[in-house]
Amino acid sequence: MKSLAILGSTGSVGKSTLDVIRKNKDEFKIELLTARTNFRLMAEQCKEFTPKFVYLENKEAQKSFLDELGTNNPQVTLLSDEKELNQIIASEDLEIVVAAMVGIVGLKPVFQAIKHGKHILLANKESYVVAGEILNNLSKKTGATIFPIDSEHSAIHQCLMGVKNKESISRLILTGSGGPFLNRDINDFKNITPKEATTHPIWNMGDKISVDSSTMMNKCLEIIEAKWLFGFDDIDVLIHPEGIIHSLVEFKDKSLIAQLSIPDMKIPIAYGLGFPERINSGGDSLDFEKISNLSFVKPDSKKFPSLVLAKDCINSGGTSFSTLNAANEECVASFLEGRIGYLDIHKIISEVLDKSDIKMVEEIGDIFEADMQSREMTKELININ
Ligand SMILES: NC(=O)c1ccc[n+]([C@@H]2O[C@H](COP(=O)([O-])OP(=O)(O)OC[C@H]3O[C@@H](n4cnc5c(N)ncnc54)[C@H](OP(=O)(O)O)[C@@H]3O)[C@@H](O)[C@H]2O)c1
């Protein structure tokens, strides 16, 4: 049995991971589950999956969790702080760490898991976007593996199976659904509400990534994630509203390989959990007879200017990735709270990138420093907006 930690088990990716585990109970045992505040769902998950350890970041939620779990329930040890969490992530009993929490909070536990040579199933793109180079270098030293479960990167991973020579690849093509505003008039973007931005046409995801999908910042982060994962700077984006083709690789001879399935995160998660074998995902088959159309559109960078930021940051390198990510996290949170308008998101991020000093990254501390500075500047701009 493979032993597993799910960081962010109460979120959309965390729940899908548990759905896959439910279908493969004899193959996996759960060592650790973590979340921020959702103690009720955590207690339910504990009753069903009996993890050895649980961590809730919020202190109030820790107390409520113990009440909710009750006394007649499985013996679970509730970890009280980050230090204890780090010890469990480092422990020899743990093989696989599913990084499914949202935002830069993922960086410290992902760093810890890589430092201790774990197999990381990465959904938490933010940590890898900001620190890809450092995490890749560290994983080479410790033998850790960083395995993507983002659907697009899982698709590229599958398309690259058996490719021995990088020279044979001519380009990577990341597909994207285009989000909820693909066909909305650009003149109406100023009226977009948080509710509209968090209602994705085909994927059911957490609020932050849903807003990122609507602005196409998600695709921007995915381009950077793909750069660190596969070692390519030349990555194209293709809008494919049906979300059936999850990405493609084109080879030197102009042959293309694509990966297809219905849009369901359980499928790339099962690929990651089972690799190199294939396991039951619990997802449905793709019914070709029911697909009336597969369409493709060139991304519109005037409507979705976030896409251009990926190339800018790749050219600038260093702390530009942390500056971009922190400004985006702050802006999305403020937009969801109704403190700034939809168009302010890109406006403020661009201003922060323009005004920030981009530095070389030599150690992980440089990333946290750039993250803090970017958040401070973003908050100032949000307040004067
Ligand atoms: N959803 C998708 O289909 C999808 C696809 C590809 C990649 N991803 C990536 O996967 C990650 C998770 O996305 P999601 O949609 O699953 O997000 P989500 O539904 O918002 O879930 C986030 C999870 O992280 C936990 N969390 C939040 N803040 C935390 C903190 N400070 N400390 C510890 N845990 C914390 C949450 O706990 P509480 O529930 O207690 O708040 C929850 O378990 C993101 O990086 C996203 O970009 C998601």
Side-chain angles (χ1 to χ4, degrees):
M1 268 184 144
K2 296 181 190 167
S3 62
L4 191 87
I6 305 175
L7 312 180
S9 65
T10 55
S12 157
V13 173
K15 287 187 280 188
S16 295
T17 307
L18 288 171
D19 287 341
V20 179
I21 303 285
R22 203 176 273 121
K23 293 272 171 204
N24 300 275
K25 276 199 169 134
D26 297 339
E27 312 246 346
F28 301 96
K29 66 171 189 276
I30 299 197
E31 194 76 6
L32 166 72
L33 296 177
T34 79
R36 179 180 46 185
T37 52
N38 194 345
F39 63 89
R40 279 205 180 91
L41 181 55
M42 182 59 88
E44 269 177 43
Q45 292 179 345
C46 284
K47 287 171 196 170
E48 182 179 358
F49 293 96
T50 60
K52 274 200 210 150
F53 302 99
V54 161
Y55 179 64
L56 285 155
E57 198 234 15
N58 181 285
K59 294 277 172 208
E60 291 299 311
Q62 292 184 3
K63 286 185 209 141
S64 312
F65 167 77
L66 291 174
D67 294 341
E68 187 77 17
L69 194 66
T71 45
N72 298 329
N73 281 303
Q75 289 303 307
V76 177
T77 303
L78 178 65
L79 306 172
S80 59
D81 56 27
E82 229 177 84
K83 200 171 152 216
E84 288 187 357
L85 174 67
N86 279 337
Q87 278 168 2
I88 302 306
I89 293 176
S91 88
E92 280 189 3
D93 294 341
L94 186 64
E95 286 169 72
I96 303 172
V97 173
V98 183
M101 69 295 256
V102 62
I104 194 68
V105 292
L107 182 54
K108 281 187 188 165
V110 165
F111 186 82
Q112 174 75 351
I114 294 177
K115 199 168 141 193
H116 291 276
K118 305 296 170 193
H119 180 54
I120 291 109
L121 297 189
L122 186 82
N124 177 255
K125 61 190 80 172
E126 294 90 346
S127 58
Y128 200 51
V129 162
V130 302
E133 195 168 13
I134 285 194
L135 298 179
N136 280 346
N137 290 339
L138 184 64
S139 66
K140 274 185 206 135
K141 280 191 206 147
T142 64
T145 39
I146 304 170
F147 197 100
I149 52 174
D150 217 340
S151 57
E152 294 78 358
H153 305 78
S154 170
I156 301 271
H157 190 280
Q158 295 178 60
C159 297
L160 289 176
M161 276 296 102
V163 176
K164 291 204 177 78
N165 186 355
K166 219 172 128 182
E167 298 296 305
S168 58
I169 299 160
S170 70
R171 63 184 172 133
L172 307 184
I173 306 170
L174 294 180
T175 55
S177 69
F181 309 129
L182 183 63
N183 298 317
R184 185 146 167 173
D185 187 334
I186 191 169
N187 296 315
D188 193 32
F189 270 33
K190 59 182 180 302
N191 300 319
I192 288 171
T193 63
K195 188 163 187 297
E196 290 172 311
T198 49
T199 311
H200 197 277
I202 55 171
W203 293 99
N204 187 5
M205 311 183 284
D207 284 352
K208 193 263 178 182
I209 184 177
S210 296
V211 177
D212 284 353
S213 293
S214 80
T215 59
M216 292 210 193
M217 176 56 81
N218 186 46
K219 216 41 67 185
C220 166
L221 298 177
E222 284 178 4
I223 293 172
I224 302 167
E225 186 185 2
K227 166 195 164 61
W228 296 131
L229 277 168
F230 305 113
F232 279 92
D233 282 357
D234 202 6
I235 299 160
D236 291 342
V237 171
L238 180 66
I239 303 303
H240 165 47
E242 295 82 10
I244 300 289
I245 298 178
H246 296 295
S247 280
L248 310 93
V249 174
E250 187 187 70
F251 295 88
K252 218 171 169 176
D253 58 7
K254 304 302 172 216
S255 172
L256 283 153
I257 296 188
Q259 186 262 338
L260 286 73
S261 75
I262 60 155
D264 180 345
M265 277 302 288
K266 294 199 293 298
I267 297 170
I269 291 169
Y271 175 67
L273 283 170
F275 190 82
E277 306 299 329
R278 296 277 181 167
I279 61 171
N280 182 1
S281 68
D284 291 333
S285 288
L286 178 59
D287 186 344
F288 281 97
E289 284 161 24
K290 283 197 184 140
I291 304 172
S292 54
N293 189 26
L294 289 181
S295 55
F296 305 96
V297 188
K298 193 176 175 225
D300 181 345
S301 55
K302 197 164 167 241
K303 238 170 141 177
F304 301 104
S306 299
L307 274 175
V308 181
L309 297 179
K311 297 250 148 105
D312 292 351
C313 287
I314 288 174
N315 288 336
S316 308
T319 54
S320 67
F321 305 113
S322 321
T323 305
L324 168 79
N325 180 67
N328 181 54
E329 285 190 18
E330 290 295 331
C331 285
V332 170
S334 291
F335 168 68
L336 288 170
E337 287 163 11
R339 298 178 57 217
I340 59 171
Y342 190 75
L343 290 175
D344 295 326
I345 301 176
H346 179 73
K347 199 177 107 198
I348 295 173
I349 296 171
S350 299
E351 203 171 334
V352 173
L353 279 170
D354 285 346
K355 287 184 176 161
S356 297
D357 281 338
I358 303 305
K359 298 189 184 127
M360 297 250 298
V361 171
E362 278 162 17
E363 53 178 21
I364 195 89
D366 299 332
I367 289 168
F368 288 116
E369 175 78 22
D371 178 272
M372 196 183 69
Q373 285 173 358
S374 171
R375 281 176 205 274
E376 275 170 16
M377 196 188 289
T378 308
K379 281 179 193 159
E380 264 174 45
L381 292 171
I382 286 170
N383 287 335
I384 55 175
N385 223 274

